[in-house]
């Protein structure tokens, strides 16, 4: 790896380009926890900088969990950074809350922090968007161990009119797939969630951009790219979370 910390696990990351420096934001948790599965509920967002994307100078943590009762009281997870028309940098990130210390169940919501220099960040105390139960699965349904609403990827509409947010999400139990049928495998509900904003401040949760039944329990860290004029969507799904006909692949 071109960036690593000897005493921490480092995983999901995203980059902002300020013109003179590349800014790497990454999730990390101490190896002293022993069990790597515990890193998720102990994750903090860190910051490093580089002039060439090869040699990195670590600047340490920039955004940790909020206080008791906050939407991000347990951990801060993956997000993205954009610079708005007002010149302010915004980090859209996942706030995670584990209600029970002995359970893997957690509620994910999306928050925002603002900065003028990509170094010092001021978080908004309120969640920015949450899973709309009319469109998406929530923990209250009792069909999945988490309320999936994470990994916000924000980018401007190609027309210049407003902004889009892509989100790792799941649909409710009665949502049909692209073939018009509800997936037989209850795990097979992973979708790309969607929200829009005219100004990066006020967001409206929309219908998902993909349908359940595609073979994924979740589509993580979605990112949009344009290659040779084609708009493509990248995402990841580990083997353990393949679903439907993809299970066992």
């Amino acid at each position: 790896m071109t960036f690593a910390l000897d005493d921490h696990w480092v995983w999901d990351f995203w980059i902002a380009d300020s013109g003179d420096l590349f800014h790497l934001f990454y999730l990390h948790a101490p190896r002293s926890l022993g069990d790597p599965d515990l890193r998720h509920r102990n994750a903090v967002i860190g910051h490093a900088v580089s002039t060439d994307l090869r040699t990195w100078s670590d600047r340490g943590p920039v955004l940790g969990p909020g206080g008791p009762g906050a939407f991000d009281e347990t951990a801060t997870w993956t997000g993205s950074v954009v610079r708005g028309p007002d010149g302010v940098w915004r980090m859209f990130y996942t706030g995670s809350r584990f209600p029970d210390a002995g359970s893997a169940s957690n509620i994910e919501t999306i928050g925002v922090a603002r900065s003028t220099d990509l170094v010092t960040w001021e978080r908004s105390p309120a969640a920015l968007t949450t899973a709309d139960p009319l469109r998406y699965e929530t923990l209250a349904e009792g069909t999945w161990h988490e309320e999936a609403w994470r990994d916000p990827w924000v980018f401007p509409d190609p027309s210049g009119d407003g902004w889009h947010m892509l989100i790792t999400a799941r649909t409710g139990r009665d949502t049909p797939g692209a073939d018009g049928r509800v997936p037989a495998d209850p795990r097979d509900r992973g979708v790309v969630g969607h929200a829009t904003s005219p100004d990066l401040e006020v967001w409206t949760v929309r219908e998902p951009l993909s349908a359940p039944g595609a073979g994924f329990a979740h589509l993580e860290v979605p990112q949009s790219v344009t290659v040779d004029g084609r708009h493509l969507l990248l995402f990841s799904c580990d083997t353990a979370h393949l679903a439907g006909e993809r299970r066992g692949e």
Side-chain angles (χ1 to χ4, degrees):
M1 293 179 65
T2 55
F3 179 79
L5 299 175
D6 293 337
D7 55 353
H8 283 73
W9 289 293
V10 177
W11 63 108
D12 292 6
F13 67 92
W14 55 101
I15 290 177
D17 180 0
S18 64
D20 56 342
L21 285 174
F22 295 103
H23 297 257
L24 175 75
F25 298 95
Y26 60 89
L27 302 190
H28 66 303
R31 292 183 180 272
S32 59
L33 292 169
D35 182 356
D37 287 340
L38 293 178
R39 72 189 190 277
H40 297 295
R41 66 176 66 211
N42 290 277
V44 172
I45 298 172
H47 178 213
V49 296
S50 174
T51 58
D52 60 6
L53 294 173
R54 295 177 181 273
T55 302
W56 294 92
S57 174
D58 187 34
R59 298 290 178 86
V62 292
L63 196 64
F71 72 92
D72 56 356
E73 70 173 342
T74 303
T76 48
W77 289 353
T78 309
S80 58
V81 171
V82 298
R83 193 176 192 179
D86 56 3
V88 176
W89 294 94
R90 289 169 175 81
M91 182 189 298
F92 299 92
Y93 69 96
T94 307
S96 179
R97 180 165 58 90
F98 287 75
D100 183 350
S103 171
S105 295
N106 73 94
I107 298 172
E108 301 155 7
T109 51
I110 293 171
V112 64
R114 297 172 178 82
S115 175
T116 57
D117 58 8
L118 291 169
V119 176
T120 302
W121 294 88
E122 181 178 352
R123 87 178 74 215
S124 175
L128 193 66
T129 67
T130 61
D132 177 358
L134 297 178
R135 296 180 172 94
Y136 297 95
E137 180 186 71
T138 64
L139 190 63
E141 282 196 36
T143 53
W144 193 244
H145 64 276
E146 63 189 4
E147 185 167 307
W149 195 253
R150 63 182 180 272
D151 304 344
W153 180 260
V154 175
F155 62 99
D157 188 275
S159 70
D161 183 18
W163 299 79
H164 296 273
M165 179 186 292
L166 307 181
I167 304 159
T168 295
R170 287 172 52 86
T171 57
R173 70 182 74 194
D174 297 325
T175 305
D179 60 2
R181 296 180 295 178
V182 174
D185 182 355
R187 293 164 48 87
D188 200 0
R189 297 181 187 158
V191 293
V192 178
H194 186 213
T196 60
S197 173
D199 56 7
L200 294 173
E201 293 293 325
V202 178
W203 289 86
T204 301
V205 175
R206 305 291 186 182
E207 296 292 335
L209 295 179
S210 66
F216 307 103
H218 56 209
L219 292 80
E220 294 193 295
V221 289
Q223 297 185 12
S224 61
V225 296
T226 302
V227 179
D228 295 333
R230 296 180 64 203
H231 299 300
L232 305 176
L233 178 69
L234 308 179
F235 66 92
S236 67
C237 181
D238 56 314
T239 301
H241 287 89
L242 293 176
E245 295 182 356
R246 296 184 191 270
R247 293 186 76 170
E249 290 185 2

